[in-house]
Amino acid sequence: MPRANVELVARIYDGFRTRDVPGVLALLAEDVTIEQSTEVPWGGSYRGHEGAMQFFATLSANIASAVTVDRWIDAGDQVVAVGWTRGTVHANGASFDVPVAHFWQLRDGRVVALRFCIDNPTMRAALDAKAPG
């Protein structure tokens, strides 16, 4: 049976799916930090709710995707979601199916840090693909 922090992170993924921005932000600390490799256009370091909104807006401007979690690693105040991100690149229509590991740090029932790790070479191949035609 998953513990409270795994359930909280699962609720965030549900909020991503339903585009419940206020619901997702309510589960993030005011000073949350988000990091992703700069090898992707939405990569970098983001801070606070404004930074989180900027991260997700940049991500959404580049790709349409959905995350499927295959495995949860429950380490108390740290949760790892292991799975896949699948979708399409807006610029070229390329589809992708990329393995991911998302590392969540929680404190007092809110996310304080989040690090998105993806298979960068596989994602870059989709981003750099030539548009059909």
Side-chain angles (χ1 to χ4, degrees):
M1 180 122 201
R3 293 189 296 181
N5 285 339
V6 171
E7 291 172 358
L8 184 144
V9 173
R11 286 190 357 238
I12 292 172
Y13 285 107
D14 288 339
F16 290 157
R17 273 191 284 284
T18 61
R19 301 192 188 283
D20 178 11
V21 175
V24 169
L25 290 177
L27 299 174
L28 303 179
E30 294 290 327
D31 62 347
V32 65
T33 59
I34 298 174
E35 294 184 9
Q36 183 153 5
S37 167
T38 56
E39 289 185 44
V40 294
W42 54 90
S45 295
Y46 301 83
R47 188 168 180 85
H49 285 186
E50 185 175 313
M53 290 174 50
Q54 179 186 5
F55 171 82
F56 292 115
T58 305
L59 174 74
S60 298
N62 284 274
I63 62 173
S65 68
V67 173
T68 302
V69 177
D70 292 335
R71 181 171 181 213
W72 296 101
I73 300 172
D74 181 350
D77 63 353
Q78 298 178 57
V79 174
V80 181
V82 179
W84 301 86
T85 183
R86 296 176 174 104
T88 56
V89 177
H90 294 311
N92 60 20
S95 62
F96 58 85
D97 191 351
V98 179
V100 299
H102 295 164
F103 297 84
W104 302 81
Q105 177 74 43
L106 297 101
R107 185 177 53 241
D108 299 326
R110 295 177 86 190
V111 174
V112 295
L114 171 55
R115 181 164 181 81
F116 290 111
C117 295
I118 65 172
D119 180 353
N120 286 330
T122 304
M123 189 75 238
R124 284 292 343 156
L127 290 166
D128 297 338
K130 293 187 184 210

mmCIF file of all heavy atoms in Angstrom, residues 6 10-11 29 55 61 67 69 76-78 82 89 95 110 113 120-121 123:
data_model
loop_
_atom_site.group_PDB
_atom_site.id
_atom_site.type_symbol
_atom_site.label_atom_id
_atom_site.label_comp_id
_atom_site.label_asym_id
_atom_site.label_seq_id
_atom_site.Cartn_x
_atom_site.Cartn_y
_atom_site.Cartn_z
ATOM 1 N N VAL A 6 3.690 9.095 -1.821
ATOM 2 C CA VAL A 6 3.459 8.503 -3.148
ATOM 3 C C VAL A 6 2.071 8.897 -3.641
ATOM 4 O O VAL A 6 1.894 9.270 -4.807
ATOM 5 C CB VAL A 6 3.629 6.972 -3.114
ATOM 6 C CG1 VAL A 6 3.177 6.347 -4.430
ATOM 7 C CG2 VAL A 6 5.068 6.592 -2.809
ATOM 8 N N ALA A 10 1.187 10.994 -7.003
ATOM 9 C CA ALA A 10 0.229 10.431 -7.973
ATOM 10 C C ALA A 10 -0.885 11.433 -8.260
ATOM 11 O O ALA A 10 -1.340 11.554 -9.410
ATOM 12 C CB ALA A 10 -0.340 9.115 -7.446
ATOM 13 N N ARG A 11 -1.312 12.183 -7.248
ATOM 14 C CA ARG A 11 -2.336 13.218 -7.461
ATOM 15 C C ARG A 11 -1.817 14.316 -8.384
ATOM 16 O O ARG A 11 -2.573 14.881 -9.179
ATOM 17 C CB ARG A 11 -2.793 13.820 -6.127
ATOM 18 C CG ARG A 11 -3.678 12.884 -5.347
ATOM 19 C CD ARG A 11 -4.381 13.457 -4.118
ATOM 20 N NE ARG A 11 -4.114 14.814 -3.743
ATOM 21 C CZ ARG A 11 -3.631 15.184 -2.545
ATOM 22 N NH1 ARG A 11 -3.339 14.288 -1.631
ATOM 23 N NH2 ARG A 11 -3.450 16.457 -2.272
ATOM 24 N N ALA A 29 5.412 23.489 -2.937
ATOM 25 C CA ALA A 29 5.804 24.539 -2.011
ATOM 26 C C ALA A 29 5.994 25.843 -2.781
ATOM 27 O O ALA A 29 6.316 25.831 -3.971
ATOM 28 C CB ALA A 29 7.108 24.150 -1.308
ATOM 29 N N PHE A 55 8.030 26.536 -16.616
ATOM 30 C CA PHE A 55 8.530 25.232 -17.044
ATOM 31 C C PHE A 55 7.451 24.485 -17.830
ATOM 32 O O PHE A 55 7.692 24.010 -18.940
ATOM 33 C CB PHE A 55 8.979 24.390 -15.843
ATOM 34 C CG PHE A 55 9.297 22.975 -16.213
ATOM 35 C CD1 PHE A 55 10.533 22.655 -16.759
ATOM 36 C CD2 PHE A 55 8.369 21.966 -16.039
ATOM 37 C CE1 PHE A 55 10.832 21.345 -17.120
ATOM 38 C CE2 PHE A 55 8.655 20.662 -16.397
ATOM 39 C CZ PHE A 55 9.895 20.351 -16.941
ATOM 40 N N ALA A 61 4.653 24.021 -24.991
ATOM 41 C CA ALA A 61 4.853 24.709 -26.260
ATOM 42 C C ALA A 61 5.668 23.859 -27.232
ATOM 43 O O ALA A 61 5.570 24.036 -28.449
ATOM 44 C CB ALA A 61 5.553 26.048 -26.039
ATOM 45 N N VAL A 67 2.673 11.094 -19.220
ATOM 46 C CA VAL A 67 3.576 10.233 -18.469
ATOM 47 C C VAL A 67 2.800 9.032 -17.950
ATOM 48 O O VAL A 67 1.701 9.175 -17.413
ATOM 49 C CB VAL A 67 4.225 10.997 -17.289
ATOM 50 C CG1 VAL A 67 5.029 10.062 -16.400
ATOM 51 C CG2 VAL A 67 5.088 12.133 -17.807
ATOM 52 N N VAL A 69 3.452 6.009 -15.282
ATOM 53 C CA VAL A 69 4.347 5.539 -14.227
ATOM 54 C C VAL A 69 4.201 4.029 -14.135
ATOM 55 O O VAL A 69 3.111 3.505 -13.907
ATOM 56 C CB VAL A 69 4.032 6.206 -12.875
ATOM 57 C CG1 VAL A 69 4.926 5.638 -11.779
ATOM 58 C CG2 VAL A 69 4.196 7.716 -12.977
ATOM 59 N N GLY A 76 10.201 7.491 1.672
ATOM 60 C CA GLY A 76 9.806 8.454 2.706
ATOM 61 C C GLY A 76 9.567 9.823 2.132
ATOM 62 O O GLY A 76 8.617 10.028 1.377
ATOM 63 N N ASP A 77 10.444 10.782 2.456
ATOM 64 C CA ASP A 77 10.253 12.136 1.948
ATOM 65 C C ASP A 77 10.794 12.311 0.533
ATOM 66 O O ASP A 77 10.785 13.412 -0.012
ATOM 67 C CB ASP A 77 10.856 13.178 2.899
ATOM 68 C CG ASP A 77 12.364 13.049 3.055
ATOM 69 O OD1 ASP A 77 12.959 12.073 2.526
ATOM 70 O OD2 ASP A 77 12.962 13.921 3.709
ATOM 71 N N GLN A 78 11.238 11.214 -0.060
ATOM 72 C CA GLN A 78 11.643 11.206 -1.457
ATOM 73 C C GLN A 78 10.852 10.126 -2.183
ATOM 74 O O GLN A 78 10.676 9.026 -1.660
ATOM 75 C CB GLN A 78 13.141 10.928 -1.598
ATOM 76 C CG GLN A 78 13.986 11.991 -0.936
ATOM 77 C CD GLN A 78 15.452 11.673 -1.033
ATOM 78 O OE1 GLN A 78 15.972 11.496 -2.120
ATOM 79 N NE2 GLN A 78 16.106 11.595 0.108
ATOM 80 N N VAL A 82 9.161 6.028 -11.973
ATOM 81 C CA VAL A 82 9.887 5.473 -13.109
ATOM 82 C C VAL A 82 8.858 5.049 -14.149
ATOM 83 O O VAL A 82 7.889 4.360 -13.823
ATOM 84 C CB VAL A 82 10.742 4.257 -12.678
ATOM 85 C CG1 VAL A 82 11.485 3.664 -13.865
ATOM 86 C CG2 VAL A 82 11.714 4.656 -11.568
ATOM 87 N N VAL A 89 6.088 15.755 -30.982
ATOM 88 C CA VAL A 89 6.783 17.037 -31.032
ATOM 89 C C VAL A 89 5.954 17.972 -31.903
ATOM 90 O O VAL A 89 5.592 17.621 -33.027
ATOM 91 C CB VAL A 89 8.203 16.861 -31.624
ATOM 92 C CG1 VAL A 89 8.904 18.207 -31.754
ATOM 93 C CG2 VAL A 89 9.019 15.886 -30.791
ATOM 94 N N SER A 95 6.761 11.350 -33.250
ATOM 95 C CA SER A 95 6.294 10.742 -32.007
ATOM 96 C C SER A 95 7.495 10.299 -31.182
ATOM 97 O O SER A 95 8.597 10.112 -31.711
ATOM 98 C CB SER A 95 5.365 9.563 -32.299
ATOM 99 O OG SER A 95 6.056 8.560 -33.003
ATOM 100 N N ARG A 110 4.094 18.776 0.900
ATOM 101 C CA ARG A 110 4.218 19.530 -0.348
ATOM 102 C C ARG A 110 5.548 19.200 -1.013
ATOM 103 O O ARG A 110 6.527 18.850 -0.355
ATOM 104 C CB ARG A 110 4.112 21.025 -0.102
ATOM 105 C CG ARG A 110 2.706 21.398 0.418
ATOM 106 C CD ARG A 110 2.585 22.831 0.747
ATOM 107 N NE ARG A 110 2.219 23.587 -0.465
ATOM 108 C CZ ARG A 110 2.230 24.899 -0.522
ATOM 109 N NH1 ARG A 110 2.619 25.605 0.508
ATOM 110 N NH2 ARG A 110 1.877 25.519 -1.622
ATOM 111 N N ALA A 113 11.150 20.012 -4.153
ATOM 112 C CA ALA A 113 12.102 19.912 -5.258
ATOM 113 C C ALA A 113 11.682 18.780 -6.185
ATOM 114 O O ALA A 113 11.132 17.768 -5.747
ATOM 115 C CB ALA A 113 13.513 19.667 -4.744
ATOM 116 N N ASN A 120 17.829 11.561 -22.702
ATOM 117 C CA ASN A 120 18.058 12.714 -23.576
ATOM 118 C C ASN A 120 18.331 12.347 -25.039
ATOM 119 O O ASN A 120 17.765 12.991 -25.930
ATOM 120 C CB ASN A 120 19.187 13.580 -23.029
ATOM 121 C CG ASN A 120 18.766 14.389 -21.826
ATOM 122 O OD1 ASN A 120 17.621 14.761 -21.671
ATOM 123 N ND2 ASN A 120 19.709 14.656 -20.951
ATOM 124 N N PRO A 121 19.183 11.344 -25.350
ATOM 125 C CA PRO A 121 19.413 11.034 -26.767
ATOM 126 C C PRO A 121 18.131 10.631 -27.503
ATOM 127 O O PRO A 121 17.915 11.036 -28.650
ATOM 128 C CB PRO A 121 20.431 9.892 -26.726
ATOM 129 C CG PRO A 121 21.158 10.083 -25.431
ATOM 130 C CD PRO A 121 20.095 10.598 -24.478
ATOM 131 N N MET A 123 15.013 11.532 -26.689
ATOM 132 C CA MET A 123 14.171 12.724 -26.822
ATOM 133 C C MET A 123 14.736 13.658 -27.884
ATOM 134 O O MET A 123 13.992 14.212 -28.695
ATOM 135 C CB MET A 123 14.075 13.446 -25.469
ATOM 136 C CG MET A 123 13.059 14.569 -25.445
ATOM 137 S SD MET A 123 11.367 13.931 -25.378
ATOM 138 C CE MET A 123 10.710 14.663 -26.849
#
